[in-house]
Amino acid sequence: MCGIVGYTGSREAFPILIKGLKRLEYRGYDSAGVALQHASGDIVVCKTKGKVINLESSAQGKDLSGSLGIAHTRWATHGEPSERNAHPHYSESGEIAIVHNGIIENYRELKRALESEGYSFQSDTDTEVLVQLIEYTKKKYNLSLFRAVQKALGSVIGAYAIAVIDKSEPQCLVATRKSSPLAIGVGNDNQEFFLASDPSPMIEYTRNIIFVEDGDVVELVPGKAPYMETLSNQVIEPKISNVTMDLGMIEKEGYPHFMIKEILDQPRVLGDCMRGRVNTELKEVILSAMVDHRERLLSAERIIIVGCGTSWHAALIGKQLIESLARIPVEVEYSSEFRYRNPIIRPSDVVIAMSQSGETADTLAAIQLAKEKGAFIYGICNSVGSSIARATDSGTYIHVGPEIGVASTKAFTGQVTVLALLALCLGRENGSLEPERYTRIIDDLLILPERIEKIFEQKERIEQLSTRFTYAHNFIYLGRGINYPVALEGALKLKEISYIHAEGYPAAEMKHGPIALIDEEMPIVVIATRDKIYEKVVSNIQEIKARKGRIIAIVNEGDAQVAKMVDYVIEIPEIAPELEPLLTVVPLQLLSYYIAVCKGKDVDQPRNLAKSVTVE
């Protein structure tokens, strides 16, 4: 969950580290800190509770010069957010400093052993145990920093990505990972190196990236090629990838928040998602995964989709699309539950792993479990070179660009778009999908960006409407069929950024309990588009109005029937029913955004959350 940055080279490290932390702040913002090897040779640590801007303020007037440093922005796991628990942590002698993303499961046993050797601890974190263990190992066996890290981690159980510096080894940066992401940027013919949890802090300096694999230990010294070994001393040849990323995608570009920028970016990025996959002339969908693994995918007796949070909601839509268009049974599982409940997985199954970051710890564990059972693993993620992308047998990138706002928006619609493309491919190839229906859905996919743009014409009206609901303590979201997961997603967005309690329900389930909550103070959002169960939803609306609920309805353009019954309507254009979630979710994203803004909340960095959940 935390973000780590490192630099070694000839430039001043502090400005690079601070800029990098700001780009990684979506990973956590409970506290932040830097450790620099000062020109005097000492390691200087500066850290503070709160966001990176607090760290900048704290650093004002301090001599933080030096060309080797590590930095951290924290999402708290062990120990409450505070300056004493902020990273970097340093060893008892002050000679070694460390930053860490992950959780050390056996830190209590290690801590007791170190205390018996005379070590004392200044924080409540598991990370401080790591740096003390590295120092103890280094001194006991008279090792270099690289060898001490390598040997010390042999007794560590848990997940980690770490970067370590040592006063006695100027310009040397040592790093390693297990189940937490880590990337290295190689600059100026090995004259400088960058280190980060993902490539975003590095791409303005270099596009040459090494994605560190689990168990790899790397030593970075300017002027030398990166040196890598496994924990078991096997030498590794670094693999350098060229990463393309639009810098504008990780900057606000004049928008007040990343979230609104990313909502409004959806027409363009969904076009990017479909580009090269939807042939506009032949009206057909082509996925390289279907070309390369056609027989394996078509022979699937069952598909299991695993994901967490927003990805799970997208998976629920994917289930309905695949079952409807390809007639293959689909189950949807929370990754966190799937891995622990001894699921039945057969070699004939295809497991689709959904994750925006490609680093979700629970989803990675679910992949490993499914692999052990012989299933074929298909990844759908956004981050090129991520752990999930590397761990799967095949897959499809959603290609919506970096998503910085913690509350996911364009990643959700990107995932649903890819699932629709996959369902179309499967249905066409196995003969379950009628040609006329196939062509009709493709036609509507091609006009999807302009349909979303049309919804944005109501942006100001949705903003005005949002001011009327800042008083609310509870919301109910209702949808049926393929729009039920959209109700779940709308409720999640409101919870995440406005801290209003919200629940999503299938509309027909309202009378089985939630109807007891409805009164004249309760806002209810109802997705009431003209589909085959439209009249059923109209009946649900009447039940709510009989109890004086305040209804916001998402309707198709020109729907006068529902408009007469509800308090407020937001219209969406007509589109193929299979693609409706890609439109109905957009007003809900805007509604949650503007309510949170009206309440004065920190939209991009809501409390207690982080973008990439890389710990259990």
Side-chain angles (χ1 to χ4, degrees):
M1 304 277 272
C2 309
I4 63 177
V5 190
Y7 175 78
T8 183
S10 58
R11 311 188 206 201
E12 284 295 312
F14 183 74
I16 295 171
L17 297 175
I18 286 292
K19 184 180 285 188
L21 287 183
K22 288 179 178 178
R23 289 188 175 159
L24 291 179
E25 207 164 16
Y26 69 89
R27 303 179 69 90
Y29 30 85
D30 292 333
S31 58
V34 297
L36 293 153
Q37 188 163 55
H38 191 263
S40 66
D42 292 330
I43 291 178
V44 178
V45 173
C46 179
K47 55 186 183 178
T48 184
K49 180 180 176 181
K51 299 184 179 183
V52 176
I53 192 170
N54 296 0
L55 177 62
E56 280 189 290
S57 298
S58 177
Q60 290 293 324
K62 295 181 180 178
D63 183 1
L64 295 174
S65 57
S67 56
L68 168 66
I70 53 178
H72 189 270
T73 180
R74 182 176 187 238
W75 186 83
T77 53
H78 291 79
E80 66 179 20
S82 64
E83 184 174 325
R84 69 191 294 267
N85 288 330
H87 299 214
H89 290 284
Y90 40 91
S91 62
E92 193 160 89
S93 68
E95 294 182 358
I96 301 174
I98 191 171
V99 291
H100 166 224
N101 173 25
I103 293 177
I104 306 305
E105 296 175 10
N106 64 332
Y107 82 99
R108 292 184 183 87
E109 299 94 306
L110 295 172
K111 186 174 184 178
R112 284 194 292 267
L114 289 164
E115 285 173 333
S116 70
E117 295 289 338
Y119 282 82
S120 59
F121 294 83
Q122 308 303 314
S123 75
D124 305 314
T125 69
D126 54 340
T127 302
E128 191 184 358
V129 174
L130 268 183
V131 71
Q132 303 284 37
L133 178 64
I134 291 168
E135 178 172 271
Y136 169 76
T137 305
K138 181 175 186 285
K139 290 182 175 179
K140 180 177 181 180
Y141 298 99
N142 192 27
L143 299 174
S144 67
L145 179 63
F146 179 88
R147 294 297 175 197
V149 169
Q150 192 178 42
K151 185 173 181 63
L153 289 176
S155 58
V156 170
I157 300 171
Y160 50 79
I162 62 172
V164 192
I165 59 176
D166 185 336
K167 176 181 175 180
S168 66
E169 298 187 31
Q171 295 300 105
C172 177
L173 177 57
V174 174
T176 184
R177 64 157 278 183
K178 179 185 176 185
S179 303
S180 287
L182 193 63
I184 297 163
V186 181
N188 296 330
D189 295 324
N190 297 324
Q191 295 304 307
E192 62 180 351
F193 297 101
F194 306 84
L195 185 85
S197 298
D198 70 43
S200 61
M202 304 182 277
I203 57 168
E204 68 181 272
Y205 308 108
T206 180
R207 304 280 176 157
N208 297 322
I209 305 296
I210 299 169
F211 292 101
V212 181
E213 300 287 350
D214 273 3
D216 293 354
V217 187
V218 58
E219 181 180 70
L220 304 173
V221 178
K224 299 180 180 179
Y227 182 75
M228 299 178 70
E229 288 187 14
T230 65
L231 289 175
S232 55
N233 303 97
Q234 179 182 351
V235 177
I236 301 165
E237 185 67 29
K239 296 178 182 177
I240 299 178
S241 304
N242 185 265
V243 172
T244 57
M245 186 184 291
D246 182 358
L247 263 176
M249 299 286 270
I250 56 175
E251 303 290 347
K252 287 184 184 175
E253 296 184 318
Y255 288 94
H257 301 97
F258 278 108
M259 184 177 179
I260 189 62
K261 176 178 183 280
E262 289 160 0
I263 291 172
L264 298 179
D265 209 20
Q266 286 174 114
R268 181 175 69 84
V269 299
L270 293 186
D272 293 342
C273 178
M274 292 185 281
R275 187 169 294 116
R277 295 165 175 169
V278 180
N279 187 309
T280 57
E281 293 180 3
L282 299 177
K283 299 290 178 68
E284 66 177 1
V285 176
I286 302 169
L287 293 179
S288 59
M290 180 60 73
V291 174
D292 296 339
H293 303 280
R294 182 179 184 277
E295 296 307 318
R296 185 65 183 84
L297 291 170
L298 292 180
S299 65
E301 296 180 7
R302 176 181 62 160
I303 292 173
I304 304 169
I305 310 179
V306 295
C308 302
T310 285
S311 295
W312 187 77
H313 297 157
L316 291 174
I317 296 170
K319 168 184 169 68
Q320 297 194 43
L321 289 169
I322 294 170
E323 290 187 342
S324 174
L325 302 180
R327 307 307 297 162
I328 301 172
V330 180
E331 297 176 11
V332 176
E333 300 264 6
Y334 282 115
S335 302
S336 54
E337 294 297 316
F338 181 76
R339 62 182 293 198
Y340 287 119
R341 68 170 186 78
N342 192 23
I344 298 170
I345 307 170
R346 298 182 291 262
S348 59
D349 292 334
V350 169
V351 173
I352 299 177
M354 305 272 291
S355 168
Q356 186 282 138
S357 67
E359 302 292 348
T360 309
D362 288 318
T363 304
L364 277 164
I367 288 172
Q368 184 59 41
L369 174 63
K371 269 190 167 183
E372 292 169 0
K373 302 291 186 180
F376 183 85
I377 315 298
Y378 190 105
I380 296 178
C381 58
N382 191 31
S383 299
V384 176
S386 60
S387 298
I388 286 176
R390 300 198 305 275
T392 51
D393 298 306
S394 184
T396 305
Y397 287 114
I398 63 175
H399 286 318
V400 298
E403 189 179 64
I404 308 301
V406 166
S408 183
T409 52
K410 64 180 182 177
F412 173 80
T413 49
Q415 288 173 336
V416 173
T417 300
V418 164
L419 286 165
L421 297 178
L422 179 60
L424 286 165
C425 276
L426 290 169
R428 178 193 59 189
E429 293 296 321
N430 71 12
S432 297
L433 182 55
E434 305 89 341
E436 298 80 6
R437 189 181 180 196
Y438 175 75
T439 302
R440 174 175 54 80
I441 296 171
I442 290 176
D443 284 339
D444 279 11
L445 273 171
L446 294 173
I447 61 171
L448 177 65
E450 67 185 61
R451 290 290 193 263
I452 297 175
E453 290 282 8
K454 197 154 194 236
I455 296 172
F456 293 154
E457 294 174 7
Q458 303 171 81
K459 183 163 63 76
E460 286 73 22
R461 195 169 67 80
I462 295 171
E463 182 177 7
Q464 293 169 2
L465 174 62
S466 300
T467 63
R468 303 177 186 182
F469 292 99
T470 54
Y471 73 88
H473 297 289
N474 300 281
F475 258 77
I476 293 178
Y477 287 71
L478 301 176
R480 295 194 74 164
I482 203 165
N483 280 309
Y484 160 55
V486 177
L488 295 174
E489 176 64 10
L492 177 62
K493 292 285 95 62
L494 191 69
K495 281 185 277 196
E496 285 179 317
I497 62 172
S498 71
Y499 318 142
I500 295 173
H501 175 253
E503 295 295 336
Y505 279 93
E509 287 297 302
M510 180 193 63
K511 54 185 172 289
H512 294 284
I515 199 167
L517 298 172
I518 294 174
D519 59 22
E520 61 272 14
E521 296 297 317
M522 172 67 78
I524 299 104
V525 178
V526 183
I527 303 170
T529 51
R530 292 192 199 97
D531 57 17
K532 61 185 178 181
I533 50 177
Y534 173 74
E535 294 300 332
K536 302 291 186 184
V537 176
V538 169
S539 295
N540 297 142
I541 289 172
Q542 290 171 331
E543 292 164 354
I544 297 167
K545 289 310 295 180
R547 289 154 181 87
K548 300 182 179 180
R550 301 183 67 192
I551 300 178
I552 305 166
I554 310 299
V555 301
N556 291 117
E557 289 175 336
D559 187 336
Q561 181 180 356
V562 170
K564 291 176 183 177
M565 300 168 57
V566 303
D567 299 276
Y568 312 98
V569 294
I570 303 171
E571 293 186 336
I572 66 163
E574 296 281 352
I575 203 161
E578 297 86 352
L579 304 179
E580 271 192 353
L582 293 165
L583 297 187
T584 54
V585 75
V586 174
L588 305 188
Q589 293 171 346
L590 290 168
L591 188 68
S592 63
Y593 171 76
Y594 286 120
I595 289 175
V597 169
C598 288
K599 290 175 71 69
K601 303 304 181 185
D602 191 337
V603 172
D604 286 337
Q605 297 174 352
R607 68 186 182 203
N608 302 334
L609 297 180
K611 183 74 174 175
S612 181
V613 185
T614 58
V615 297
E616 285 191 60

